[in-house]
Amino acid sequence: MPKSTQQRLAWLRGQARCLFLVTGLVPFAGSLALGGDKAAHWAFQPVVDVPLPRLSVAGEAWSKSPLDRFVWRKLEQQKLSPLDDAESVVLVRRLYFSLTGLPPSAADVAAFVEKPDASALVDRLLASPRFGEKWARHWLDLARYAESNGKDRNVAFAHAWRFRDWVIDAFNADLPYDEFVADQIAGDLRGGSDAQIVATGFLTLGPKAFQEAEQEKFAMDVADEQIDVMSRSILALTVACARCHDHKFDPIPTADYYALAGIFLSSETLHGPGPLYFEKQYYNQPVVAIGGTAQALDPRVQNWRSQIYDLTMNAIKLRSAAYKIRRKVTGTLRDKGLEKPEDDPELLKMHEQSEAMYAEATESLDQRDKLLAEVPEHPAYAMAMREAEMPEDCRIRERGEYNALGTAVARGRMTIPGLPQLGEIAETESGRRQLAEWLIAADNPLTARVIVNRVWHHLFGSGLVATVDNFGITGEAPSHPELLDWIAHKFVTEDEWSVKQLIRRIVLSRTWQLASTTAQDDPRLSAATQMDPANRLLWRASLRRLDIEAFRDAVMSVSGQLDLERPAKGSPLADAYLGSEIGTAKTHVNVSEEIAEFRHRSVYLPILRNELPEMLSLFDFADTNAVTGARNARTIPSQALFLMNSEFIEEQARAAAATVVELNDEHAVDAVARLVQGGEFEARQRDAVLDFVRERRDQSKGDAGDEKAARLDAWTDVFQTMFASADFRYLK
């Protein structure tokens, strides 16, 4: 690769031309724009109030909402026609899963088909507590939410679940998005209520290198991770790329990175204890006591923790010293040609000393284990942020190396074009409050655009900007830039940052309610498929696979096993204290049995780094170590094998079968259709199911088997087949 900037740009353009000549593929748009004016990039321009397009008579008739006008104009310019509206039975299922993550009941489907009032249904679903449980999971993907640290010391984050529940409650309460963002950055400085303190857990949840030997590097790595999650989730910018050098593509200088680093280094990240058996005290942080009992109960808990820590450290030091003595005794015996310590009085004395130290260490650990088993009454705790006692600016680290110190950069210095300046930061402040205000400022062009695009992505399957986590130079340009700005402007000015109103605006549009399929000989289908196979122009609804949480919840809803109540305990890890680690050793935490028996909604599953349940990992759950705005959607053989052989799927299928096994075949098959599809099977499907069940029953009679057991087995197989079917696992 050439070294100078001009040489690199020329080389990149040459590579792009070669790619096109050899493969016929259009090179990535961002790669050809690297030599242009970065400040002129679309994402850094102000959000404008775009006037509504003027349409033809046909366009006026087609559009149900202002949003539709932008879509129609694009289609008309390309001489394309949208498909028809989705059928009512398809639309009601799409609305339920998109807004609540759960399937509609047969009664819900029938009521909507009889009276398809989408506006009333949307209002009801937005008001449901199930809404927050569905949409919180999207934000938790961005917040890299997990209840353990991961890496090589998988310490339990026993109180992470409070942040999860706060996000769910915030979506249900329709907390304005600007407040939602600001509280996660500086809630402790914006009123400091218990809920706002819990919100700052957003910055504490990332994986940490508890094995790191250098305190300064540990602190810089934590700040780096906080800069990354803040900038990518809220701004869709990869600011962390400027740690070692000016950003290679976006107009983000290294100095701006360290201006942000100073803010986070001037705050304390209260993530809780580090590994129990680790002596690095700077990894051990408190968690924040909240609630009415905090003042009365927290001192006793802190005293209990201190005793356990002291006993553990005493045992470690004794064992270490005893080991050194024993090695010296062994070496001296070898040098003198002796066989045992008793052959030398001096060595015998040293040996006895080491044995006494080992015994004392064992006694300390026994006392520690006794204390661990006697957990005192404790208040509510939360992972959170707070101001450091002595805020200070951060010095640039040359090449990103923690000990290669350069010049100091004033906290909050921002030079990214198009973005506002941070407010003045006093010497006694970290700057997190000013950072929060900067993120939600009226003249910040990114925050509203990014969340609008994320919501669009989750409702349509692809964002107006396909690269949802990257609005920078190397990201893709928006397919409908005027529409993106129009919605973002309305989101702030009319909807007052209401995510519920934003969702309502989108799902009540004709564009969102289009059918995903039509007859193969429909001329609209062939023309649009040839010109726009990826459906970027939105001429139809995209077929989308249910995310794994919605699939699991739907299966358990059909089987009658789903518990819609929030877990009373918060998490199986809620009682893990003092650096307990995920695993199987005596002082470690093991939640595999709890996960196997878990009957609550999937959003409440304990999410452990390095220990994801097979079902989640197979079906493209978010990477808990990174900001994930768009999950993968792979189709791989192991998914089919899981659906065919999973004990969980079979258990749920058998529970569902038990609800229909007493019915006669005709009534049972209709009940299955209502449970899994909310309606009726096509005649061909219905006949195939009946033939299969009757064949199994007749075979059982011929083998002198138990007919009821055979029927239960048969209906179990039917439900398992339905769960694995595309009709169940995909939204049309």
Side-chain angles (χ1 to χ4, degrees):
M1 168 83 72
K3 293 184 178 180
S4 74
T5 301
Q6 292 301 319
Q7 287 175 326
R8 283 198 298 270
L9 290 172
W11 181 84
L12 284 169
R13 292 192 182 95
Q15 294 298 307
R17 292 190 191 99
C18 288
L19 175 67
F20 178 71
L21 291 172
V22 173
T23 68
L25 297 174
V26 178
F28 186 53
S31 65
L32 299 182
L34 299 181
D37 181 5
K38 296 178 181 180
H41 182 59
W42 68 268
F44 301 130
Q45 306 311 307
V47 174
V48 296
D49 185 10
V50 180
L52 293 177
R54 299 181 64 180
L55 300 181
S56 63
V57 174
E60 292 282 357
W62 182 82
S63 299
K64 289 172 61 177
S65 77
L67 180 158
D68 295 322
R69 302 174 72 90
F70 293 93
V71 175
W72 177 271
R73 184 175 65 174
K74 278 273 189 180
L75 290 171
E76 199 169 47
Q77 288 172 349
Q78 299 300 321
K79 296 181 170 53
L80 296 179
S81 298
L83 298 188
D84 298 330
D85 296 343
E87 296 178 355
S88 294
V89 69
V90 171
L91 181 58
V92 65
R93 189 170 187 267
R94 189 188 297 173
L95 281 168
Y96 266 84
F97 273 110
S98 297
L99 271 58
T100 70
L102 290 171
S105 68
D108 294 327
V109 174
F112 187 80
V113 170
E114 181 179 351
K115 185 181 179 181
D117 186 346
S119 179
L121 177 59
V122 167
D123 288 342
R124 181 160 62 86
L125 296 178
L126 290 174
S128 166
R130 311 285 82 81
F131 168 80
E133 293 168 340
K134 160 68 176 175
W135 280 83
R137 185 60 252 180
H138 297 318
W139 187 261
L140 295 176
D141 283 2
L142 297 171
R144 77 278 185 247
Y145 173 79
E147 295 174 51
S148 72
N149 181 67
K151 293 199 168 182
D152 45 9
R153 300 307 295 262
N154 202 8
V155 177
F157 290 161
H159 310 288
W161 62 272
R162 292 194 188 278
F163 174 77
R164 175 202 67 199
D165 287 3
W166 175 84
V167 176
I168 293 171
D169 293 340
F171 273 101
N172 276 332
D174 201 20
L175 181 67
Y177 182 71
D178 56 343
E179 295 183 34
F180 179 78
V181 165
D183 281 350
Q184 290 177 82
I185 303 301
D188 56 315
L189 307 175
R190 301 182 69 249
S193 69
D194 284 350
Q196 289 174 306
I197 289 170
V198 171
T200 64
F202 172 76
L203 293 170
T204 71
L205 292 167
K208 298 164 183 66
F210 286 128
Q211 292 286 101
E212 175 55 56
E214 296 294 336
Q215 181 176 359
E216 183 70 10
K217 186 175 186 303
F218 178 82
M220 290 301 301
D221 287 346
V222 170
D224 179 76
E225 202 272 340
Q226 291 168 331
I227 291 171
D228 187 53
V229 71
M230 178 276 297
S231 64
R232 290 180 63 202
S233 63
I234 300 170
L235 302 174
L237 290 180
T238 53
V239 175
C241 291
R243 178 176 182 172
C244 305
H245 46 69
D246 291 347
H247 201 292
K248 293 295 186 184
F249 306 115
D250 297 336
I252 306 172
T254 299
D256 283 19
Y257 172 92
Y258 286 97
L260 290 171
I263 291 174
F264 292 116
L265 290 170
S266 295
S267 306
E268 293 184 3
T269 302
L270 306 179
H271 51 74
L276 178 59
Y277 289 108
F278 221 49
E279 197 174 354
K280 301 292 185 182
Q281 293 193 40
Y282 53 84
Y283 297 150
N284 289 317
Q285 294 290 343
V287 281
V288 179
I290 58 176
T293 62
Q295 189 171 358
L297 298 180
D298 186 51
R300 279 183 277 172
V301 175
Q302 296 307 321
N303 179 60
W304 174 75
R305 285 185 56 187
S306 297
Q307 291 181 61
I308 292 174
Y309 181 81
D310 290 344
L311 288 167
T312 302
M313 290 302 105
N314 183 55
I316 289 173
K317 291 173 182 176
L318 286 168
R319 283 186 166 185
S320 177
Y323 175 73
K324 292 177 182 178
I325 293 172
R326 183 170 289 184
R327 284 193 62 184
K328 185 174 181 180
V329 169
T330 302
T332 305
L333 285 171
R334 184 176 58 249
D335 293 342
K336 292 185 175 183
L338 301 175
E339 293 185 1
K340 53 185 182 298
E342 288 79 0
D343 295 338
D344 185 304
E346 178 103 16
L347 294 178
L348 178 59
K349 184 178 180 180
M350 293 172 63
H351 176 73
E352 290 173 344
Q353 181 186 11
S354 69
E355 289 295 305
M357 295 169 77
Y358 273 120
E360 186 179 348
T362 300
E363 184 179 350
S364 285
L365 292 178
D366 288 343
Q367 293 178 37
R368 191 279 312 275
D369 291 344
K370 184 177 180 181
L371 282 173
L372 281 171
E374 298 172 352
V375 181
E377 185 180 1
H378 55 274
Y381 285 109
M383 301 169 71
M385 300 291 290
R386 72 181 176 198
E387 297 287 84
E389 291 185 5
M390 298 180 62
E392 59 181 332
D393 296 332
C394 181
R395 298 172 68 178
I396 291 176
R397 268 54 170 183
E398 303 295 340
R399 302 174 304 281
E401 297 177 9
Y402 75 96
N403 54 359
L405 301 180
T407 57
V409 181
R411 294 194 301 288
R413 168 195 181 274
M414 281 289 121
T415 63
I416 302 174
L419 271 62
Q421 292 295 310
L422 265 70
E424 184 177 349
I425 301 173
E427 289 186 4
T428 57
E429 293 182 282
S430 68
R432 275 188 299 116
R433 178 179 60 81
Q434 291 84 350
L435 176 60
E437 293 168 352
W438 175 76
L439 288 169
I440 61 174
D443 54 348
N444 188 323
L446 289 171
T447 303
R449 277 191 183 123
V450 169
I451 188 58
V452 163
N453 189 62
R454 292 195 186 283
V455 169
W456 189 282
H457 166 82
H458 291 303
L459 290 172
F460 281 91
S462 179
L464 293 169
V465 180
T467 50
V468 293
D469 295 329
N470 184 4
F471 273 36
I473 304 295
T474 58
E476 292 193 18
S479 59
H480 297 70
E482 297 89 356
L483 175 56
L484 178 60
D485 266 23
W486 182 84
I487 301 179
H489 184 269
K490 298 299 180 188
F491 175 60
V492 174
T493 59
E494 290 188 12
D495 299 340
E496 297 180 333
W497 299 88
S498 165
V499 173
K500 285 189 176 182
Q501 290 305 310
L502 169 61
I503 292 172
R504 190 180 193 279
R505 186 187 296 277
I506 293 173
V507 300
L508 290 179
S509 69
R510 188 160 207 161
T511 303
W512 191 81
Q513 295 182 13
L514 289 175
S516 61
T517 58
T518 187
Q520 289 298 312
D521 58 354
D522 190 327
R524 295 173 298 178
L525 182 64
S526 57
T529 302
Q530 288 181 5
M531 180 174 292
D532 182 30
N535 193 32
R536 297 295 292 152
L537 297 177
L538 304 170
W539 51 274
R540 62 175 173 85
S542 295
L543 190 70
R544 291 182 289 136
R545 192 182 75 189
L546 295 178
D547 59 46
I548 186 56
E549 295 95 326
F551 172 71
R552 177 184 175 275
D553 292 351
V555 166
M556 297 183 70
S557 179
V558 168
S559 71
Q561 301 294 300
L562 185 63
D563 183 353
L564 289 176
E565 294 298 319
R566 177 178 287 180
K569 192 177 179 181
S571 167
L573 297 173
D575 292 333
Y577 286 98
L578 295 159
S580 298
E581 297 183 54
I582 307 302
T584 57
K586 182 178 180 182
T587 59
H588 291 27
V589 177
N590 190 322
V591 295
S592 59
E593 293 183 4
E594 287 87 344
I595 291 176
E597 298 298 322
F598 204 81
R599 292 293 177 263
H600 299 278
R601 290 201 69 179
S602 300
V603 70
Y604 297 113
L605 274 167
I607 301 302
L608 312 178
R609 292 190 175 104
N610 305 341
E611 295 282 343
L612 277 182
E614 180 187 19
M615 189 177 189
L616 299 190
S617 58
L618 268 180
F619 289 90
D620 303 311
F621 189 76
D623 180 359
T624 55
N625 294 300
V627 174
T628 306
R631 294 184 183 181
N632 292 326
R634 304 170 301 164
T635 300
I636 54 177
S638 52
Q639 293 169 344
L641 293 171
F642 179 87
L643 295 172
M644 288 189 290
N645 300 297
S646 162
E647 291 182 7
F648 170 79
I649 297 296
E650 183 175 354
E651 175 190 339
Q652 298 304 313
R654 186 164 294 275
T659 66
V660 303
V661 72
E662 299 290 348
L663 302 176
N664 65 45
D665 291 348
E666 286 73 17
H667 289 164
V669 73
D670 292 338
V672 171
R674 288 193 297 270
L675 283 169
V676 300
Q677 293 184 180
E680 298 179 354
F681 286 136
E682 295 178 4
R684 177 179 56 83
Q685 290 176 301
R686 191 174 189 275
D687 291 343
V689 172
L690 286 172
D691 288 345
F692 171 77
V693 172
R694 288 164 180 164
E695 181 180 345
R696 287 290 295 271
R697 183 192 59 199
D698 294 342
Q699 180 182 0
S700 175
K701 283 182 179 179
D703 295 340
D706 184 337
E707 181 180 345
K708 183 176 179 180
R711 283 173 54 79
L712 182 62
D713 288 343
W715 287 114
T716 297
D717 289 345
V718 168
F719 274 104
Q720 189 163 3
T721 301
M722 292 298 107
F723 292 157
S725 68
D727 284 341
F728 187 81
R729 296 195 299 120
Y730 283 79
L731 283 182
K732 296 180 181 178

